[in-house]
Amino acid sequence: GIGEAALALFRSLGCTVIIPKDQQCCGLPGMSGGDLETVRLLAEKNLAVLERYEADYIMTACATCGGALHKFYPAVIGKRHPELLARCQALAEKTVDASVLLQKLGLRPEVTGAGGDLSITYHDPCHLRTSGITRQPRDLLRAAPGVELREMEDADKCCGLGGTFNVYHYESSMKINSAKSAAILKSGAEAVITGCPGCMMQLDDGLKQHGSKVKVMHTLEVLARNIR
């Protein structure tokens, strides 16, 4: 659903969208587990695939993937393997989050359409927040017809997923998530929106454990919900 929403939005702006079939995982799960050799192999494969195209931008609809390509490839892989540094830096310079690119390309409210009234609250993914990407998704969501944005308390606090932290320390991750779920419910919104599929899984788990039917949606899904 996130991918289809991205295609609809960027095609509506006249973009040519290329999705390389042989791209790999960005490698951040391996990085959080300390397996830097696997991350290097994945990075090399992704570099080779993405360098084939003379694209203006490399768009990610995932905060974590964006953080990997934009920050960690040059800072970690490039630093450990100097022969890859220039290529990692070139990739990083083109990498952009979907919400930033949509705003830069001038997505208009009338393009997104109404799609019915919807009250939402927004959760800041850590990888977007630490990159200074907090205003852009909110601006787009506020401009979307039929959407009412209700800010939750501590919207910038981590949801508790933390990559593989949720896998190895599930109970602790859900204790962190409990405060996030409470803030979402307190907002009274019908849906919580975020720009990270990982956060989406964690938020959905927490809300269901609270017996809530609040929807969890990606920013792009809200913006594209009425595009034909």
Side-chain angles (χ1 to χ4, degrees), residues 80-99:
R80 290 174 63 90
H81 303 277
E83 72 279 7
L84 297 176
L85 180 57
R87 295 171 67 192
C88 287
Q89 289 175 332
L91 182 74
E93 289 173 2
K94 285 188 174 184
T95 300
V96 61
D97 181 71
S99 64

Side-chain angles (χ1 to χ4, degrees), residues 15-32:
C15 297
T16 298
V17 182
I18 301 168
I19 307 173
K21 292 182 179 180
D22 45 356
Q23 61 187 299
Q24 307 292 314
C25 170
C26 69
L28 210 61
M31 193 175 294
S32 67

Side-chain angles (χ1 to χ4, degrees), residues 26-32 60-73 76 95-100 122-134 136-137 155-165 194-199:
C26 69
L28 210 61
M31 193 175 294
S32 67
T60 65
C62 171
T64 304
C65 293
L69 272 60
H70 185 70
K71 285 185 176 180
F72 296 109
Y73 274 22
V76 179
T95 300
V96 61
D97 181 71
S99 64
V100 175
Y122 183 79
H123 162 70
D124 288 290
C126 291
H127 285 291
L128 291 187
R129 173 178 54 78
T130 55
S131 296
I133 302 172
T134 59
Q136 297 91 333
D156 60 348
K157 293 292 179 68
C158 180
C159 67
L161 182 75
T164 55
F165 179 76
T194 190
C196 175
C199 292

Side-chain angles (χ1 to χ4, degrees), residues 2 19 50-51 153 173 183 216:
I2 300 170
I19 307 173
L50 296 171
E51 286 170 346
E153 294 179 0
S173 79
V216 181

Side-chain angles (χ1 to χ4, degrees), residues 15-16 24 33 40 49 53 55 67 81 86 90 114 128 143-146 174-175 178 187 189 196 203 209 223 226 228:
C15 297
T16 298
Q24 307 292 314
R40 180 189 65 80
V49 169
Y53 307 96
H81 303 277
L128 291 187
M174 295 314 294
K175 286 181 181 179
S178 183
S187 74
C196 175
L203 295 172
Q209 290 193 28
L223 298 175
N226 202 41
R228 301 302 179 191

